[in-house]
Every structure is written in C-alpha cells, then in structure tokens.
Amino acid sequence: MGDRIEFQQGRWIVPDRPIIPFIEGDGTGPDIWRAARRVFDAVVEKVSKGRRRVEWLEVLAGEKAFKATNSWLPEATLDAIRAHRVAIKGPLTTPVGGGIRSLNVALRQLLDLYACIRPVRYFEGVPSPMKQPGKLNVVIFRENIEDVYSGVEYQAGSEQADAVIRFLAERYGAKIRSGSAIGIKPMSKFGTQRLVAKAIQYAIQARCPSVTLVHKGNIMKFTEGGFREWGYEVARQRFGDQTVPEAELGPGKGNGGRVVIKDRITDAMFAQLVLRPDEYSVIAAPNLNGDLLSDAAAAQVGGLGLAPGGNVGDGYAVYEATHGTAPKYAGQDKVNPCSVILSGAMMFEELGWTDVAAAIIRGIEGAIASKRVTYDLARQLPGATEVSTSQFAECIIEHVR
Ligand code: NAD
C-alpha cells in the first residue's frame, strides 16, 4: 500500500511509496509502458537500495476506457489524477468524430497545467541532421493556456465572426476583410509571469546560465511585446538577486553567478538554435512560439522519438510521451520506449528523486552507446543490433551503474 504525494507551501512532499496513476495508452502504448515501468521500478529499487518504491495505479483513458466503460475519458480517471496530483501517460488515439473531449485539454483545464515543459538534449550516437548536435541542450517552457491556442476562434462567415468584425470596425475603426475567420490571441500578465517565474525557478535550481524569452513583440506589441516586458518584470521583482538582464552585462563584466535573462524575436531564435545552440539554455515562450520551437529543436537532436514532455501547474503535473500511438506496430514489442522513459525521468526530477532521474539518463546513454537499440535507431546507426522494446529496457537497466 502506498501513500499520496502532497503539495504544501510550494513544495512536493513525496513519501517513500508514492501512488502514481498511469494511463498505458493506445496502440503501442502498452508495449512502451510495460518497458518503461520495468525501467522505473528497477532503477528506483537500485538507487534507493529497496527503500523506495512507486505504487502504480492504473487509470483508464482512450480505447481501453471506451471498451470498459463506454467513455473515452471516465470521470474516475480525472478524479484519480486530481487526488494523486502527479500522473504519467502513454499516447492516446484521437478518436475520429465529434463530441469527444481530449484528455490533454480536460486535464489542462481541470488542473490548470499552465506550463508545457520539453527538455531537448542530444544522446551520443543518435543520428542527427546537424554537424554538432551535442551543442543543443535546452529546456523549453511553453505557456499552455493562452495565446492563439486558447480556443476562442470563429469560422469564416459565422455570426460570431461577422459580429466581431462589425464591432471592431464600428467601435475602433479596425479594417478586417469581411467574411474573414477570426481567432483571438489573449495574453495576460498573470499567465505570462507565472510561466516565466517557473522557468526562472528551474534555471536557478538546475544552475542553468540563462533564460531566454522568445516573442514576436516587434510586430505584436501588446501581446508578444507584453510577454517580453512582463517576463523581465517578474525576473526583476521576484528574482532580482539571482538574475541579471543581458543588457546590463557590460564588456568584461561577468554575470556574478546570476541567471542571465535575455530575449529574442521568434524568427531570429529559430536561426540561433541552428547556428549558436550552445548560447541557449532555458527558454520561456508563449504557446504558439513554444509549440513550433519544441518540435524544431527536437528534430535537430534526432527527432521526436526520444523527446519527453510534461504539463505542469502548481501542485499538479502530467508527464507524457510526445509521439503518437504508432498503431501499425501495436503489440509487436518493437518501438522505442525512450520518450515515455525520459518523461518519467522528468517526473522523478520534479518530485525531488533526482538520483533516480540521473540514473535513468545514464542507463539510456549507455544503452544507445552499446548500439543495442530499437528498429528506429538501429536502421540509421551503422553497426547497430536491433533489439525489441523489452530487450532495450533491459539494456537500459544494465547500464544504470
Ligand atoms: P505517431 O507519432 O504515432 O507516428 C509517427 C511516426 O513515428 C510513425 O512512423 C511511427 O511509426 C513513428 N513512431 C511513433 N512513436 C514511435 C516510437 N515510440 N518508436 C519508434 N517509432 C515511433 O503519429 P501519427 O501516426 O500521426 O498518429 C497516430 C495516432 O496517435 C493518432 O490517433 C494520433 O491522434 C495519436 N497521437 C497521440 C498523441 C498523444 O497522445 N500525445 C500525440 C500525437 C498523435
């Protein structure tokens, strides 16, 4: 029997036997979850010498839930995740047809998971299109709730779109072509500052050199420009002793051990990540910029197959593989389990089990270096031996020293 994880005064309180709900996912989800759970249990046991153990609690979503309960997302699943605060999930099929709530949207709203966190780093040996992929090592904090993804959008020719166009024209003289579709881009100081504060807190704790605010404030002055201004403001007001704006770093002046806060225009940032990746560490971005940057950065280090992710709020977090269900390989014990395993490493790090997180990463580094890898990596790595999902998991465990 395990105990619940609690969150008090901004801190996780994690028992030695925490109960953590999991959704195994559809398609290849059960294959990769089985492998991931095997790795998590073995590493926790090894690192803590048997003192700690996760009590996994299965909760249903997706096809498995639909078969058992006739609902793609039973209320009981949402209740369990809310009660236990931290959960991990495999990929889910997006059912075709209307009226189905997406789990991610439901959880984001229910638990206010306002930061989507995506670490992007290179694992030695993974095929990459870049000459020096190891130079990229960033953690992207993407705002998860506001911006053009807030869902306030009206179809071209709809009553709502036409009413908004008319209102803006009559009241403010705005010129919008009639019959246009309309999307609203709300960005608040509150939403920006809690996201940027989370990124800065992470940078301070993990001893990262900088936090870069990525925005298109040269064009969208009040929304994206607001993101920049409010970001610098929260750095100054809440972390004044531990941060310094890049503009205040004169020639020959060091940063005095403080986290440097910089900002870059979105388009320039894409170029920078290709040309000078080692100048960036933690990145804080509004929703759309962050979405685009996350996948572009992941591609530089060898693709989405290895990319983990977490949706995090205050006292709640849900971690997930960032790829889909790869249905054609379902049940074949074939696909790469690294994305969900690395998401687990992020989860353990957030919960303060940093020794477990570090050991998982050592295991993955070792397994990839040994060139006994799943098909997706094996077909691109000269001299590699293809192994199954479960054999790859054993190989990861062997390399946890
Ligand atoms: P996908 O990510 O499942 O597949 C894209 C490609 O990547 C395929 O060639 C696949 O074989 C490969 N791939 C995916 N995961 C892999 C792994 N672990 N190891 C090796 N190769 C892997 O994307 P898709 O085909 O567009 O979507 C399939 C289903 O997944 C759809 O129902 C979609 O809605 C869903 N999906 C879910 C999530 C999620 O739950 N977070 C994310 C994306 C897509």
Side-chain angles (χ1 to χ4, degrees), residues 89 91-94 320-327 329 335-336 375-376:
K89 67 176 273 279
L92 293 172
T93 306
T94 312
E320 64 173 342
T322 53
H323 57 70
T325 59
Y329 297 123
V335 298
N336 189 339
Y375 83 99
D376 52 312

Side-chain angles (χ1 to χ4, degrees), residues 55-370:
E55 299 292 341
W56 301 105
L57 170 69
E58 179 163 20
V59 293
L60 300 182
E63 287 165 358
K64 197 169 180 180
F66 191 72
K67 277 193 198 125
T69 69
N70 225 20
S71 160
W72 293 95
L73 180 56
E75 279 306 313
T77 294
L78 297 175
D79 290 345
I81 295 176
R82 181 163 41 192
H84 294 94
R85 294 182 171 275
V86 176
I88 183 162
K89 67 176 273 279
L92 293 172
T93 306
T94 312
V96 181
I100 291 155
R101 246 187 339 164
S102 135
L103 175 75
N104 286 340
V105 174
L107 287 174
R108 216 164 53 202
Q109 287 166 352
L110 184 77
L111 307 176
D112 200 17
L113 305 175
Y114 59 85
C116 175
I117 307 177
R118 296 269 296 266
V120 184
R121 52 153 293 175
Y122 181 63
F123 285 92
E124 200 56 49
V126 173
S128 149
M130 308 302 286
K131 284 189 185 142
Q132 294 176 298
K135 283 188 165 184
L136 181 69
N137 186 1
V138 295
V139 183
I140 301 174
F141 283 70
R142 161 189 170 200
E143 206 286 327
N144 225 356
I145 290 173
E146 305 193 328
D147 196 2
V148 279
Y149 284 21
S150 65
V152 190
E153 210 192 2
Y154 303 114
Q155 199 174 6
S158 67
E159 183 191 329
Q160 297 93 325
D162 289 347
V164 172
I165 294 169
R166 231 179 5 258
F167 171 80
L168 292 175
E170 285 166 12
R171 184 70 71 92
Y172 300 117
K175 288 191 177 65
I176 301 174
R177 191 185 305 279
S178 77
S180 295
I182 294 287
I184 305 284
K185 181 180 171 75
M187 286 173 57
S188 69
K189 180 168 170 172
F190 172 80
T192 298
Q193 291 196 329
R194 66 178 179 169
L195 183 272
V196 174
K198 208 179 242 324
I200 295 175
Q201 260 158 356
Y202 173 86
I204 292 169
Q205 227 162 25
R207 300 180 183 282
C208 300
S210 66
V211 173
T212 304
L213 310 169
V214 180
H215 61 91
K216 191 77 184 158
N218 54 332
I219 305 295
M220 291 169 273
K221 297 193 190 311
F222 304 119
T223 49
E224 302 261 330
F227 186 89
R228 172 185 184 277
E229 184 188 321
W230 299 321
Y232 277 115
E233 184 186 87
V234 77
R236 193 172 60 246
Q237 289 179 346
R238 280 190 53 193
F239 307 97
D241 297 340
Q242 294 146 298
T243 62
V244 57
E246 186 181 37
E248 287 177 21
L249 291 176
K253 270 202 222 165
N255 60 16
R258 293 168 295 178
V259 175
V260 177
I261 310 292
K262 30 191 177 181
D263 75 280
R264 296 290 182 271
I265 304 278
T266 312
D267 38 357
M269 187 64 184
F270 274 88
Q272 291 275 300
L273 278 191
V274 173
L275 300 172
R276 305 170 171 204
D278 48 349
E279 291 182 13
Y280 298 92
S281 169
V282 175
I283 293 171
N287 206 336
L288 177 60
N289 297 340
D291 187 13
L292 305 177
L293 271 176
S294 302
D295 280 16
Q300 280 183 225
V301 294
L304 288 168
L306 290 158
N311 292 297
V312 183
D314 292 324
Y316 295 98
V318 178
Y319 294 86
E320 64 173 342
T322 53
H323 57 70
T325 59
K328 68 179 171 188
Y329 297 123
Q332 294 179 24
D333 197 21
K334 186 173 172 82
V335 298
N336 189 339
C338 279
S339 179
V340 77
I341 294 175
L342 287 167
S343 303
M346 284 177 74
M347 175 179 78
F348 290 122
E349 187 170 309
E350 170 75 19
L351 293 176
W353 290 14
T354 47
D355 47 358
V356 174
I360 291 172
I361 291 184
R362 278 200 308 278
I364 290 182
E365 283 170 344
I368 294 174
S370 78

